Amino acid sequence: MLMQIAEPGQSQIKEACKTRVVGIDLGTTNSLVAYVRDGAPVAIGEGQDALVPSVVRYDVDGRVVVGRAAMASANGASGAAGSTTISSVKRLVGRSTGDISAIRGMLPYKLIDDDRMVKVAVGERQLTPVEISAEILRELKRRAEAFFGEPVDSAVITVPAYFDDAQRQATRDAGRLAGLEVLRLLAEPTAAALAYGIDKQIAGTYAVYDLGGGTFDISILKLVDGVFEVKATGGDSALGGDDIDRALAAYLLAQAGGGDINHAVNVARAAKEALSAADSTSVTVQSAAGATTTLTLTRAQLADVAAPLLATTAKACRRALRDAETTADALDGVILVGGSTRSPVVRAAVADIFGREPLADVDPDQVVALGAALQAEMLAGHSEGVVLLDVIPLSLGIETMGGVVEKLIHRNTTMPAGATQQFTTYADNQTGFDLHVLQGERETVDGCRSLARFKLSGVPPMVAGMARVDITFQVDANGILTVKAHEQTSGVEASVDVKPTYGLTDEEVERMLVESFEFAEDDLRRRNLATERIEAKRILAATQTAMVGDAALLTAEVKVATDAAIAALQATLAGDNYLAIRAAIEALDHASKPFAEIRMNLAIAKAMAGKRVEEVEEGYAEGHIR
């Protein structure tokens, strides 16, 4: 995959991983963070509590709320009084206003037209999807730091396999804004395969069917001799469970004779989830006038509504199998990823596509984050891992006369990759070339994404068709594209390292980083608070245990002082002033010091009892007596 910033080398990664490393699934509907404990990946949080809804609410007082509290007001553009709630922002990341025209009317918040990129109206402000995504990542970072009681500055973040370069770069920049060193952007299907332990197998070919809230991916993965290769990938970055919800909402409104679409979407989502466990459910739809209509919805009706969307995923699956030069019968398994695959309707469709029941041993909501955690642990040098060979998701080419795209490197080519093709002049005495690098599968420029433009000057004047210019595309293992142009007669050359943009310049990203420093003080306070609380709980437990076990050693005066210090520390723990907690810890230490000294003296005396001076000195030297 093509990236603006090169992947860090192993030494840089290890330097970045002096603190905890985590894996993050930045999802359309939910996000979560995971880590590796005793060699196994574990999500931070239990069950549904591990999932952080990818919803951000901006209040008029400047407060930013992320997760379940924000989701409570996600049923419309306005949540709490004077606030704006943003959901499904992943669908906007790295996109221009033209890219999202098909879904624009479905979003329950206002978008701002911009020549370069889509923006979201938040009160009087205009925020980019990068900034909004950074708030979600910042919340995940805070959650991890509160869990560990120490800084978390490095992460592997997953992205859909079909994300193009602009979307990937936007995700990386969101990580930077959140204060995270992004060790790698890992394709979600690859992460899922790692979580399933496919990397522990000797060989095998697997399909990963990933239907999330806002994106669909299908990837064919092959493992041979420790090399994990993505053979083909496909999908739709604007198709997901949200679309099934909207289609079902439209169906319900049609049955009820009209109504509020945003309310109907919430009703449809709840009904879809209910139909995962039951064959039918009752739904109440509210009309625009406020009247309500109660309907019975069956799983068969849901299947009919979802059929056109699932048929679209089936086409992508068949194409991916062809691109990988394999068949469904030759697969060793089909892995399900994404919360939308919990639905029996979706699982039945997958079974029909591949002619076999899919694997669902790992929670589809957590599987991507778990795999990302394994990859983060490996990159940090804490564990062994397979070699991951990714592919170029979309073809790379150059613009030629008439607005036509000449593809030099085709999609699903394994990285690193390179190609050279020769071009010539189309006019007499032409002394230069304007070179336009593009990405996409369409045959014309207007159907592809522009990646870069550069000039080759100094070509000697010649008759049209006489000049010979070699254009070379080179994609390294980190996904960085370099384009070189060389004119054979004169030897003049020009080159460019392609840095895909999604509307934000480097200067704008840096400005956002500077602005984010205003959160630094709050982040530090949260980190210190978590650290002091952990230390306080440790000291409280140790002191109370000692007071019970060695009660005879306590004088009345010391016991009264220590009990008072314990009560003061426990009361302080309920607050959020880490300096007060630290002071209370020191006060407890001072109050219990006489008791601690008596216990220490007795322990030393017991350790030295019956020993010669030489044995005691030898024990100290070897560290046996402390």
Side-chain angles (χ1 to χ4, degrees):
M1 315 289 183
L2 308 179
M3 310 283 184
Q4 178 175 346
I5 301 173
E7 297 278 1
Q10 195 64 29
S11 62
Q12 293 171 298
I13 289 173
K14 289 182 178 178
E15 179 67 21
C17 294
K18 290 181 177 179
T19 57
R20 290 274 187 173
V21 295
V22 294
I24 291 178
D25 175 11
L26 181 61
T28 305
T29 305
N30 294 298
S31 298
L32 66 159
V33 56
Y35 72 108
V36 173
R37 181 180 67 199
D38 299 329
V42 181
I44 293 178
E46 297 294 332
Q48 287 297 307
D49 289 337
L51 300 178
V52 177
S54 300
V55 183
V56 182
R57 191 180 77 220
Y58 295 86
D59 291 341
V60 291
D61 59 2
R63 192 168 64 112
V64 179
V65 181
V66 179
R68 298 194 184 282
M71 188 173 65
S73 56
N75 61 342
S78 296
S83 68
T84 299
T85 303
I86 312 300
S87 59
S88 299
V89 72
K90 185 174 179 178
R91 304 189 103 179
L92 308 179
V93 168
R95 313 312 278 161
S96 68
T97 51
D99 293 331
I100 53 91
S101 58
I103 64 170
R104 182 170 189 157
M106 304 176 185
L107 300 173
Y109 41 83
K110 183 180 178 182
L111 300 183
I112 305 298
D113 288 320
D114 188 281
D115 292 337
R116 298 179 301 160
M117 67 181 304
V118 62
K119 292 182 180 178
V120 181
V122 179
E124 299 298 320
R125 305 165 64 191
Q126 295 182 9
L127 295 180
T128 68
V130 172
E131 294 170 283
I132 299 168
S133 296
E135 294 292 355
I136 300 170
L137 291 171
R138 196 174 280 124
E139 176 61 28
L140 294 172
K141 182 176 185 289
R142 289 170 181 160
R143 171 179 281 221
E145 289 180 335
F147 177 79
F148 293 123
E150 60 181 318
V152 174
D153 297 322
S154 305
V156 168
I157 301 177
T158 60
V159 292
Y162 219 56
F163 255 26
D164 64 21
D165 294 3
Q167 292 167 298
R168 290 166 185 270
Q169 184 54 39
T171 303
R172 184 185 289 277
D173 284 341
R176 290 175 60 201
L177 286 178
L180 288 168
E181 175 73 20
V182 183
L183 304 180
R184 179 165 297 173
L185 293 177
L186 182 65
E188 291 169 1
T190 306
L194 289 174
Y196 264 91
I198 291 176
D199 57 311
K200 304 299 189 296
Q201 307 296 325
I202 297 174
T205 302
Y206 293 81
V208 181
Y209 183 99
D210 182 355
L211 186 63
T215 59
F216 167 67
D217 285 324
I218 175 64
S219 294
I220 309 299
L221 311 177
K222 186 173 184 179
L223 178 71
V224 179
D225 298 330
V227 178
F228 209 168
E229 183 178 0
V230 181
K231 298 298 293 183
T233 186
D236 190 332
S237 61
L239 170 64
D242 290 353
D243 298 285
I244 296 178
D245 296 341
R246 292 189 185 94
L248 185 58
Y251 172 81
L252 293 174
L253 289 179
Q255 300 298 307
D260 179 70
I261 183 63
N262 291 325
H263 177 265
V265 167
N266 290 331
V267 171
R269 183 179 296 114
K272 182 184 70 174
E273 293 171 357
L275 289 174
S276 294
D279 291 328
S280 65
T281 187
S282 178
V283 297
T284 300
V285 184
Q286 182 176 316
S287 70
T292 59
T293 302
T294 300
L295 303 169
T296 297
L297 184 68
T298 66
R299 187 181 292 174
Q301 289 172 309
L302 172 61
D304 289 341
V305 170
L309 295 169
L310 296 176
T312 300
T313 72
K315 291 178 183 177
C317 292
R318 289 191 288 269
R319 183 175 183 180
L321 288 169
R322 288 197 302 270
D323 289 344
E325 298 180 348
T326 189
T327 63
D329 292 340
L331 296 174
D332 293 286
V334 179
I335 296 172
L336 293 180
V337 180
S340 296
T341 63
R342 289 183 180 278
S343 170
V345 169
V346 174
R347 294 191 177 189
V350 175
D352 184 61
I353 293 168
F354 293 100
R356 68 175 70 204
E357 289 298 319
L359 301 173
D361 302 336
V362 182
D363 186 335
D365 280 318
Q366 295 190 8
V367 63
V368 169
L370 299 179
L374 288 170
Q375 179 69 359
E377 192 79 352
M378 190 271 288
L379 289 174
H382 301 156
S383 65
E384 296 291 326
V386 295
V387 177
L388 301 178
L389 295 182
D390 220 329
V391 296
I392 296 165
L394 296 169
S395 300
L396 300 166
I398 201 89
E399 179 180 357
T400 59
M401 281 298 296
V404 174
V405 179
E406 182 66 24
K407 298 182 179 67
L408 274 72
I409 300 180
H410 292 268
R411 68 187 184 90
N412 288 325
T413 300
T414 302
M415 298 184 294
T420 299
Q421 192 163 326
Q422 195 171 88
F423 297 85
T424 188
T425 51
Y426 68 92
D428 291 343
N429 300 319
Q430 185 177 337
T431 60
F433 289 82
D434 289 321
L435 301 169
H436 188 193
V437 183
L438 299 126
Q439 181 181 42
E441 303 310 311
R442 302 286 293 276
E443 299 302 320
T444 56
V445 171
D446 57 2
C448 294
R449 179 176 289 274
S450 175
L451 293 183
R453 294 178 183 269
F454 68 111
K455 292 180 178 293
L456 176 66
S457 304
V459 176
M462 287 181 267
V463 175
M466 291 298 294
R468 294 291 182 269
V469 179
D470 293 326
I471 305 294
T472 299
F473 278 31
Q474 190 70 43
V475 182
D476 67 16
N478 293 319
I480 302 301
L481 169 63
T482 299
V483 181
K484 295 182 179 179
H486 174 262
E487 200 281 310
Q488 294 181 357
T489 304
S490 62
V492 296
E493 293 186 346
S495 65
V496 63
D497 288 333
V498 175
K499 295 183 177 182
T501 62
Y502 53 89
L504 288 180
T505 65
D506 290 342
E507 291 74 17
E508 287 172 316
V509 173
E510 291 301 323
R511 174 184 58 76
M512 290 178 184
L513 283 170
V514 171
E515 291 174 352
S516 72
F517 290 160
E518 66 184 84
F519 297 103
E521 183 176 347
D522 184 54
D523 287 345
L524 180 60
R525 183 190 63 79
R526 288 171 179 266
R527 181 178 300 168
N528 288 335
L529 180 61
T531 301
E532 296 299 337
R533 278 176 171 167
I534 290 171
E535 179 66 7
K537 291 176 181 178
R538 184 191 68 79
I539 290 175
L540 281 170
T543 302
Q544 290 169 325
T545 299
M547 291 175 71
V548 172
D550 293 322
L553 302 178
L554 274 169
T555 65
E557 182 181 358
V558 171
K559 185 177 187 307
V560 169
T562 303
D563 283 340
I566 287 174
L569 178 54
Q570 289 173 329
T572 308
L573 270 177
D576 58 2
N577 187 334
Y578 74 89
L579 291 175
I581 296 174
R582 185 180 297 170
I585 291 173
E586 292 173 354
L588 175 57
D589 181 64
H590 178 75
S592 63
K593 188 174 182 180
F595 174 54
E597 287 176 346
I598 293 173
R599 294 182 72 243
M600 179 63 73
N601 290 336
L602 288 174
I604 292 174
K606 183 178 180 180
M608 293 191 302
K611 298 185 185 300
R612 301 192 312 274
V613 174
E614 293 82 358
E615 291 176 323
V616 174
E617 291 176 343
E618 182 179 345
Y620 272 111
E622 294 180 358
H624 299 155
I625 300 177
R626 297 186 184 277

